Amino acid sequence: MWAYALRRLLAVVPTLFGVTLVTFFISASIPGDPAVLVVGQRASPETLERVRHEMGLDRPLPVRYLGYLRGLARGELGRSLRTQRPVAGDLRERFPATLELTAAAMAFAAVAGTLLGTIAAVRGRLWDTLTRMVAVAGISTPVFWWGLLLVLLFYRQLGWLPAQGRFDPFLDPPPAYTGLHLIDALLSRDWQALVIASRYLVLPAFTLGSVQLALVARMIRTGMLEVLREEFVRTARAKGLTERVVVFRHALRNATIPALTAVGLAFGELLGGAVLTETIFGWPGMGKYAVDSIGSLDYPAILGFTLVVGAGFALINLAVDLLYAVVDPRIRYG
């Protein structure tokens, strides 16, 4: 397994190289002058020319790209034109917020989707129809519409949950051991902070995970219907095992294997797709950073965000491939 994992890690390198190549040249072709962003619209032509030279914008595009690759080899993602700070530092600060939101959304989608898919497969036509309606609603409804609807209902009308930010601005967040507020609150045994962080997380996580919930539910339902017709399930029932044991211990484990691929791809999509959700809820993560950078033509920040999301997507898919062997012992990697 370790040799397979190493080969897959090496295969990630050309993939990321392709990501940098495409993203760099697309970013460079966007109309606009980053030097104007730095010095302002009223700067003299001499000042603009000097800033362009300092930023390397007067060099040919291939030379600039090679310089960017040399910086990557040193672990540098460039300097943000908007914040005037290293992009790696900006992303490092915001990564825990995005990771916490993405993990919560994926956990919600996986647990609720598995439960709905299992119920639809074993409870008959009525539950199957209801689950199908939930799946269609989740897949066909845009994320931003879910977000606005939830804000209107739970913040504006009921006042139950906050709609903006990650923590109460008038209180101190828990000590930053990991940067994840929920984990930090647990580690510091700050139960008030745990409740506050959870309340701020509910609406963004539900919004982000709604589409993936529908996909997981449909895949689990299809897998369960196939597995429940297998010989080993009939054998388990013939042994006198209860239906709950047959479904959850024997059938569900086998039906989960195809869904693992969807969950892995979904997690990567959520990591990059948090852009809209973070913007709607004012969540201070990498997605909101990317949106602000796009609006400012901050192409080093855009490149850094794309590269980090691409690397995360590749690593998550590798982890899912390795999980196959854990879920199904028949799978071996040479």
Side-chain angles (χ1 to χ4, degrees), residues 82 272 274-280 285-298 301-302 305:
R82 183 171 58 88
V275 172
L276 270 179
T277 306
E278 290 185 0
T279 303
I280 292 170
M286 294 195 307
K288 190 171 186 308
Y289 176 74
V291 171
D292 294 340
S293 301
I294 292 171
S296 305
L297 287 178
D298 188 356
I302 300 169
F305 170 78

Side-chain angles (χ1 to χ4, degrees), residues 57-139:
L57 297 175
D58 56 348
R59 292 182 293 175
L61 207 53
V63 176
R64 288 163 52 190
Y65 179 64
L66 290 176
Y68 182 72
L69 290 182
R70 281 196 294 271
L72 282 182
R74 297 191 298 269
E76 299 172 0
L77 296 176
R79 181 173 288 274
S80 168
L81 304 179
R82 183 171 58 88
T83 66
Q84 292 298 309
R85 297 181 55 203
V87 173
D90 284 346
L91 292 176
R92 194 180 303 116
E93 284 183 0
R94 291 162 175 79
F95 180 73
T98 297
L99 179 63
E100 186 171 52
L101 173 59
T102 305
M106 196 66 252
F108 162 70
V111 173
T114 300
L115 187 62
L116 284 176
T118 304
I119 291 174
V122 302
R123 287 290 186 179
R125 180 167 295 180
L126 175 61
W127 283 98
D128 190 19
T129 303
L130 291 175
T131 304
R132 196 178 306 159
M133 291 171 62
V134 171
V136 171
I139 293 174

Side-chain angles (χ1 to χ4, degrees), residues 210-223:
S210 58
V211 175
Q212 308 307 330
L213 179 151
L215 294 174
V216 172
R218 296 303 296 170
M219 292 203 69
I220 290 291
R221 173 193 171 275
T222 304

Side-chain angles (χ1 to χ4, degrees), residues 186-318:
L186 285 173
L187 292 176
S188 60
R189 298 184 179 182
D190 189 343
W191 311 123
Q192 183 188 16
L194 180 65
V195 172
I196 294 172
S198 301
R199 293 182 72 243
Y200 275 81
L201 186 59
V202 168
L203 293 185
F206 182 87
T207 301
L208 187 59
S210 58
V211 175
Q212 308 307 330
L213 179 151
L215 294 174
V216 172
R218 296 303 296 170
M219 292 203 69
I220 290 291
R221 173 193 171 275
T222 304
M224 284 291 290
L225 290 176
E226 292 177 359
V227 171
L228 287 173
R229 291 193 289 265
E230 296 287 340
E231 290 286 341
F232 73 91
V233 173
R234 283 199 289 269
T235 303
R237 284 174 173 153
K239 287 181 177 178
L241 297 178
T242 63
E243 189 64 17
R244 179 177 300 178
V245 173
V246 171
V247 170
F248 287 101
R249 184 177 297 177
H250 295 277
L252 183 57
R253 183 170 183 175
N254 289 276
T256 305
I257 296 173
L260 269 180
T261 303
V263 170
L265 292 174
F267 197 88
E269 289 177 5
L270 290 178
L271 199 61
V275 172
L276 270 179
T277 306
E278 290 185 0
T279 303
I280 292 170
F281 291 97
W283 192 265
M286 294 195 307
K288 190 171 186 308
Y289 176 74
V291 171
D292 294 340
S293 301
I294 292 171
S296 305
L297 287 178
D298 188 356
Y299 69 89
I302 300 169
L303 282 169
F305 170 78
T306 308
L307 191 61
V308 169
V309 170
F313 195 88
L315 293 177
I316 289 168
N317 278 280
L318 171 60

